[in-house]
Amino acid sequence: NFIPLLEDTGLVIPVGEWVLQQACLQGRRWQDAGHKSLNVSVNLSMKQFRAGSLLNSVRQALDESGLPPRSLELEITETVLVDDAEQALDLMHQLKKIGVTLSIDDFGTGYSSLNYLRRFPIDLLKIDGSFIRNLMSNPIDEEIVLSTVRVASRLKLRTVAEHVHSAAVYERLTELGIVYLQGDYFGKPIPLTEFFAAERKSVES
């Protein structure tokens, strides 16, 4: 309910800028605390992408936080690619010049074609959870995931599987060649103050 309300009122742009700024600041704090390899990922709405201020917002957030551009990943949806392809292509190239990582979120649920994967400067595909939830019982979902991994590999794109919820799904996805995974199997959302305590406990176990 919250995100659609922000979009309807136009507040998604200032709130999105604040989220971007806070994510970069927190990412820099983690790196300064010794976690140099940690990156932060921020979802962008279509309205942010259209607003015309995104490039400056990203530059400002990186400059003010001191976070290296390579440590920031920006997630966009397939809808952004098909809504205004030329404008999106130009903006994404400018973002890549800054040095950030670009990913397609919820891949497979929108209307983009393989042509977009070839044209756009994308680093990462996040396979939508709707294909992951029934992976063990639906051969079609598994085939879609496998096909996505194969195409991504040929295009030198990394893949992330979303909504991994069990050991069986985790094991099957790794067999299919997916290295990066996220979901409740690894841990549910937790307060910031508990993050590294939970990480240490996981490593020790």
Side-chain angles (χ1 to χ4, degrees):
N1 294 331
F2 182 64
I3 299 299
L5 182 60
L6 289 177
E7 292 180 337
D8 289 343
T9 59
L11 289 174
V12 71
I13 294 173
V15 170
E17 291 177 349
W18 178 83
V19 168
L20 178 64
Q21 180 188 53
Q22 293 301 310
C24 289
L25 286 169
Q26 185 58 57
R28 183 55 192 258
R29 291 189 195 104
W30 281 332
Q31 292 188 355
D32 288 344
H35 304 278
K36 300 296 185 183
S37 63
L38 270 182
N39 301 330
V40 291
S41 183
V42 178
N43 291 88
L44 299 177
S45 75
M46 186 186 299
K47 289 195 174 182
Q48 281 178 278
F49 218 77
R50 289 175 177 172
S53 57
L54 179 61
L55 197 63
N56 287 335
S57 296
V58 171
R59 285 178 176 144
Q60 183 175 352
L62 291 170
D63 289 344
E64 292 181 356
S65 65
L67 184 73
R70 67 178 182 278
S71 299
L72 174 63
E73 175 189 328
L74 300 176
E75 297 186 22
I76 61 177
T77 62
E78 292 179 68
T79 310
V80 170
L81 303 186
V82 300
D83 183 63
D84 189 343
E86 295 309 316
Q87 185 269 344
L89 181 61
D90 180 64
L91 179 54
M92 290 171 74
H93 276 299
Q94 292 183 67
L95 289 168
K96 286 302 297 177
K97 286 180 180 179
I98 294 176
V100 301
T101 298
L102 298 178
S103 68
I104 302 298
D105 195 20
D106 302 331
F107 182 76
T109 60
Y111 303 98
S112 66
S113 68
L114 296 180
N115 181 50
Y116 288 113
L117 298 184
R118 180 172 60 85
R119 292 182 62 204
F120 286 80
I122 300 163
D123 302 289
L124 194 74
L125 295 181
K126 303 192 74 172
I127 303 173
D128 187 67
S130 61
F131 301 112
I132 307 300
R133 292 188 189 97
N134 301 316
L135 185 74
M136 306 303 293
S137 59
N138 190 336
I140 295 177
D141 283 352
E142 179 171 314
E143 190 58 40
I144 290 173
V145 171
L146 181 58
S147 298
T148 302
V149 172
R150 286 173 175 165
V151 170
S153 178
R154 290 295 184 93
L155 295 174
K156 295 181 170 45
L157 302 176
R158 288 174 288 152
T159 49
V160 177
E162 301 180 307
H163 298 283
V164 179
H165 59 274
S166 70
V169 171
Y170 163 72
E171 291 170 3
R172 184 58 185 144
L173 287 170
T174 55
E175 289 172 358
L176 294 177
I178 300 182
V179 178
Y180 303 98
L181 306 101
Q182 68 182 61
D184 287 351
Y185 173 67
F186 306 101
K188 296 183 182 296
I190 57 175
L192 181 64
T193 53
E194 298 177 17
F195 179 71
F196 285 113
E199 182 195 39
R200 285 193 296 271
K201 184 178 180 181
S202 175
V203 172
E204 291 169 358
S205 62

